[in-house]
Amino acid sequence: MRKFLLLTGFSLFSVLTFAQWSWQNPLPQGNELVSTCFTDVNTGYAVGGDGTIIKTSDGGFTWSTLASGTNAFLMSVTFTDPETGFATGSGGTILKTVDSGATWTGIESGIHSSVNFVCFADANTGYALGGDTNLKTIDGGNSWFTIPGGSPFGWTSAFFTDATTGYEIGLAGINKTTDGGLTWTLQLDGMNLTWSLESIWFTDANTGYAVGGDKSIFKTSDAGQNWTQVLDGDPYYLTSVCFTNAQTGYAAGYGAGAIVLKTTDAGLIWTALDIGSIEGLHSVYFIDEHNGYAVGDYGQMVKTNDAGASWTHLSAGPVNDLYSVNFADNNTGYAVGDNGIIMKTSNGGSTWTSLTSGSSELLHSVFFTDTNTGYAVGGNWWSPGIILKTTDGGSVWQSLASGISNPLYSVYFTSSDTGYAVGGDQNTVASIVKTTDGGITWQEKSPGVTQHLFSVIFVPSSGGGYTGFASGSQGTILKTTNEGETWTALNSGTTAALLSIFFVDENTGFVAGTNDVILKTINGGTNWTALASGTSHYLDAVYFTDSNNGIIVGDMGTTLTTTDGGLTWIAAPSQTYSWLHSVSCTKKGNIYAAGFSGVILSKVHEGGTVEVSESNQAKPKFDLFPNPASGIITLSAQDHTPGWVTIQVITMTGKLMLQKKYHYLNKFNIDISNFKAGIYLVKIQSDSGVETQKLVVQ
């Protein structure tokens, strides 16, 4: 979807246009998957973090991401027929599709607690369970009403053997109803257990299984009157169970990696299957006696078509935490991170290959001076500073002597020979090292402070040479005007940790850090102005393509963009809740972000600037009325009910006056009665894009 910026009443403007973020690693995507189901041997769905819904139509070999319209954590998915399905999750989220997942509509649940599980006894009768409230539908999920059986401990799973008889399980134990949820009876008291129960399955009206912590499996043969523990005492945590017939069943979970157990004698004996190296699993589902799937952490998926005898991995790409990404040209890029991982792409990120770094240390930063020559720095707090160098595009990496005992967090080169690295240790000893011979030797320079240094950058100076800046803990910002020989501390006005610094030129710079801090200078760091980020997250990396257009990434998948030099920031969905640590931009304008769990995302630049005049403006997606106004204004979505909507009211000088977020509403009332008379901008970010309208306050 191409994003647009619309200024009603303005004659001309320009803005960089980008596609949405897309996954490059892991593939097909890297958000945690916690539930999966299939409608036939080829067609299946999986849901998980950040509103993720993915679908396969070829038995799991390829997957497409569906537009859920939400960033809620989706915990459960089920289909009542090939076209009709439901997904539920955090914040009372209930989604429904009637076209095999092509579109999903938010259904009002009336609650705000998490809906952990959804199941249907028939096409009309369904149950949604989770937090302290249970819900039921009798009209095919079009409306839901509250029923008894909620628990302050929450429920994790349920199973109905017919329209009125069902079971719910969780930390509280096992509950049973025989009247469609009007009353519930506790059958197994969770107070007698040291772990939570996670999943339940019945093979007939009397025989059922429940699984949970310590690789525990319980069985009942009398419709739940008695439960017998048939397996226990192992450090694995079982999260999901299903059976293909009365004798054959599977349980999946995690511990030291993933585990899948199988029984062929109705649960008396369970055998661990060889599924290969994979992280934890959260859901296992068999379509028939031969074909089954399991999904879990980092978007990992496995498949079997021989009843578990062998398994095929459907996901690809390492899931090591990544801390830095850097592109040497439009196509060649590198990412580094935990356990010495170095990844490379030669085709703009379409594919990434793991390289052999020769190190198992944590690598914090990577920088390439050309497509073949690059440096990676890092180290854990207990180890000396690590510096690696390659001259053949990453095939071979040489370990260089840094000369310091502290880990290094950032590296930057001003030429093929001259480079800098900064860091510090747990005792707040700051370090700056410099090389003038391409990394063969490094000289330590005194930073004049004791705080950690997390980021360093150099920009050409108008007087010749380079001006350098570094940022670190406790609000530290340093500047050098003599090629890094000496450094001067600047007054940032904050004590927050400043994790990233970026200068467009020697005067205009930006810093991002903890406690949602964004700072800007237009005089080379002499003075810094705090900018309103509109968020409350850690901001880990900042990058600007020019003095107006910039991007910041951070925790919980945060991405912020600005087109006005940081006066206003727009939060854009990143398709992940993983912590993003680094952002880089190619000369072509493509943006890449990297972070925890091996996440690499890209945002492709789609054609420079777009000029729009009043005669050919895109039609607004929201109506704003009345306008002019003096009290309450109303914004109304024209064509559908959007997912998350963020509304900002901003002065013409860029001051943020108001910000509000709404979820699954198509009409919003905003009180502006305390605003002074004048002209304001109303920015609306939704799943339809970003538009800005002019508001006149009388």
Side-chain angles (χ1 to χ4, degrees):
M1 177 184 69
R2 178 170 297 194
K3 294 193 173 182
F4 59 89
L5 183 64
L6 175 65
L7 274 75
T8 303
F10 285 70
S11 60
L12 191 67
F13 75 99
S14 65
V15 61
L16 290 176
T17 56
F18 292 90
Q20 290 181 333
W21 289 100
S22 61
W23 283 93
Q24 294 197 329
N25 189 77
L27 292 175
Q29 63 88 51
N31 287 329
E32 182 179 5
L33 297 174
V34 295
S35 181
T36 184
C37 74
F38 277 70
T39 57
D40 59 47
V41 70
N42 290 315
T43 308
Y45 304 81
V47 303
D50 205 52
T52 297
I53 304 178
I54 59 175
K55 176 182 179 179
T56 180
S57 300
D58 58 7
F61 292 104
T62 61
W63 295 78
S64 58
T65 300
L66 307 180
S68 68
T70 180
N71 62 356
F73 199 116
L74 299 179
M75 306 291 292
S76 180
V77 61
T78 190
F79 273 71
T80 57
D81 60 51
E83 290 78 34
T84 308
F86 299 84
T88 64
S90 61
T93 299
I94 300 178
L95 306 178
K96 179 179 180 179
T97 180
V98 294
D99 53 12
S100 302
T103 58
W104 295 81
T105 302
I107 305 296
E108 180 59 47
S109 68
I111 64 173
H112 298 288
S113 57
S114 180
V115 183
N116 295 333
F117 195 83
V118 60
C119 62
F120 276 75
D122 54 46
N124 292 313
T125 308
Y127 299 85
L129 315 172
D132 53 9
T133 305
N134 284 350
L135 301 174
K136 180 178 180 178
T137 180
I138 56 175
D139 60 4
N142 293 322
S143 63
W144 297 80
F145 55 90
T146 301
I147 59 173
S151 167
F153 300 108
W155 302 107
T156 56
S157 181
F159 194 99
F160 276 74
T161 56
D162 57 44
T164 58
T165 304
Y167 304 80
E168 59 183 6
I169 68 171
L171 185 61
I174 303 178
N175 247 359
K176 179 180 179 180
T177 181
T178 57
D179 55 12
L182 296 179
T183 60
W184 295 81
T185 302
L186 186 64
Q187 293 192 312
L188 182 63
D189 191 345
M191 296 298 292
N192 297 324
L193 305 176
T194 57
W195 54 85
S196 176
L197 295 173
E198 297 292 334
S199 181
I200 188 169
W201 189 280
F202 274 72
T203 57
D204 57 42
N206 293 311
T207 308
Y209 303 82
V211 303
D214 285 350
K215 207 166 77 171
S216 299
I217 301 179
F218 289 85
K219 178 181 179 179
T220 181
S221 300
D222 54 12
Q225 293 185 42
N226 298 284
W227 290 86
T228 302
Q229 191 166 0
V230 297
L231 188 67
D232 68 348
D234 197 286
Y236 278 94
Y237 201 102
L238 298 178
T239 56
S240 181
V241 62
C242 73
F243 274 70
T244 58
N245 57 47
Q247 300 295 315
T248 306
Y250 302 83
Y254 60 88
I259 186 173
V260 176
L261 305 176
K262 179 179 180 179
T263 181
T264 56
D265 56 8
L268 295 179
I269 299 175
W270 294 81
T271 303
L273 304 178
D274 182 6
I275 59 173
S277 178
I278 191 173
E279 298 296 328
L281 296 173
H282 296 284
S283 179
V284 60
Y285 188 95
F286 270 73
I287 310 155
D288 54 36
E289 293 188 0
H290 301 287
N291 295 283
Y293 296 80
V295 302
D297 292 337
Y298 315 125
Q300 295 182 105
M301 301 180 288
V302 292
K303 171 186 178 178
T304 180
N305 56 14
D306 54 13
S310 61
W311 294 80
T312 300
H313 288 214
L314 304 177
S315 49
V319 294
N320 304 61
D321 293 341
L322 299 175
Y323 289 89
S324 179
V325 60
N326 177 256
F327 271 72
D329 58 28
N330 288 326
N331 294 311
T332 309
Y334 299 83
V336 302
D338 203 16
N339 295 318
I341 189 171
I342 302 179
M343 299 175 65
K344 177 182 179 179
T345 180
S346 300
N347 52 18
S350 296
T351 57
W352 289 81
T353 303
S354 293
L355 307 177
T356 301
S357 69
S359 173
S360 60
E361 297 285 351
L362 192 158
L363 299 177
H364 290 281
S365 180
V366 61
F367 189 94
F368 270 70
T369 57
D370 56 51
T371 55
N372 291 314
T373 306
Y375 301 82
V377 303
N380 294 295
W381 60 265
W382 61 84
S383 62
I386 300 297
I387 302 179
L388 305 178
K389 178 180 181 179
T390 181
T391 57
D392 57 6
S395 297
V396 178
W397 292 82
Q398 174 189 2
S399 179
L400 306 177
S402 68
I404 61 171
S405 58
N406 308 324
L408 296 169
Y409 296 111
S410 181
V411 59
Y412 193 94
F413 272 70
T414 58
S415 69
S416 59
D417 294 321
T418 304
Y420 305 81
V422 301
D425 70 4
Q426 62 173 342
N427 298 315
T428 63
V429 174
S431 298
I432 299 178
V433 292
K434 176 183 179 180
T435 181
T436 56
D437 54 14
I440 297 175
T441 59
W442 295 80
Q443 303 86 37
E444 188 169 7
K445 305 297 179 181
S446 174
V449 296
T450 58
Q451 289 77 21
H452 283 66
L453 297 175
F454 296 121
S455 181
V456 63
I457 190 171
F458 279 75
V459 290
S461 172
S462 58
Y466 286 86
T467 301
F469 300 87
S471 66
S473 61
Q474 299 182 35
T476 299
I477 301 178
L478 304 179
K479 178 179 181 179
T480 179
T481 56
N482 57 7
E483 310 292 320
E485 295 302 314
T486 59
W487 296 77
T488 301
L490 306 176
N491 182 16
S492 69
T494 181
T495 58
L498 302 179
L499 305 177
S500 179
I501 190 165
F502 193 95
F503 269 74
V504 178
D505 53 47
E506 64 178 322
N507 293 312
T508 306
F510 301 84
V511 181
T514 60
N515 304 326
D516 67 326
V517 167
I518 305 176
L519 305 178
K520 178 180 180 178
T521 181
I522 57 174
N523 56 11
T526 301
N527 303 104
W528 293 87
T529 301
L531 305 178
S533 68
T535 184
S536 58
H537 296 287
Y538 274 39
L539 305 176
D540 277 56
V542 56
Y543 196 106
F544 271 72
T545 58
D546 54 45
S547 58
N548 289 317
N549 294 282
I551 183 170
I552 290 176
V553 301
D555 70 348
M556 298 299 291
T558 298
T559 63
L560 306 174
T561 58
T562 182
T563 58
D564 56 11
L567 293 179
T568 57
W569 294 87
I570 298 296
S574 65
Q575 301 194 40
T576 182
Y577 59 92
S578 288
W579 199 319
L580 299 176
H581 282 295
S582 179
V583 63
S584 180
C585 186
T586 66
K587 292 181 179 179
K588 186 178 178 180
N590 296 339
I591 299 175
Y592 299 83
F596 277 179
S597 308
V599 169
I600 302 177
L601 304 173
S602 68
K603 188 184 282 279
V604 178
H605 184 221
E606 293 188 332
T609 61
V610 175
E611 294 186 342
V612 180
S613 65
E614 285 192 56
S615 61
N616 64 357
Q617 284 176 345
K619 182 181 179 181
K621 299 294 184 180
F622 290 81
D623 290 325
L624 189 160
F625 57 90
N627 191 8
S630 59
I632 303 294
I633 60 171
T634 299
L635 284 156
S636 177
Q638 294 182 355
D639 55 0
H640 73 299
T641 300
W644 281 100
V645 176
T646 301
I647 298 174
Q648 295 179 322
V649 181
I650 307 159
T651 68
M652 295 300 292
T653 60
K655 181 180 179 181
L656 179 65
M657 300 295 294
L658 177 149
Q659 176 170 292
K660 291 187 177 294
K661 284 189 174 182
Y662 301 90
H663 194 212
Y664 283 117
L665 295 176
N666 60 6
K667 184 176 288 187
F668 324 100
N669 294 323
I670 299 175
D671 186 359
I672 54 142
S673 58
N674 62 342
F675 284 23
K676 294 181 180 180
I679 299 175
Y680 296 80
L681 299 179
V682 180
K683 283 193 174 183
I684 311 153
Q685 178 190 344
S686 70
D687 55 9
S688 297
V690 179
E691 63 182 83
T692 301
Q693 299 192 32
K694 182 176 69 172
L695 169 66
V696 178
V697 176
Q698 296 177 327

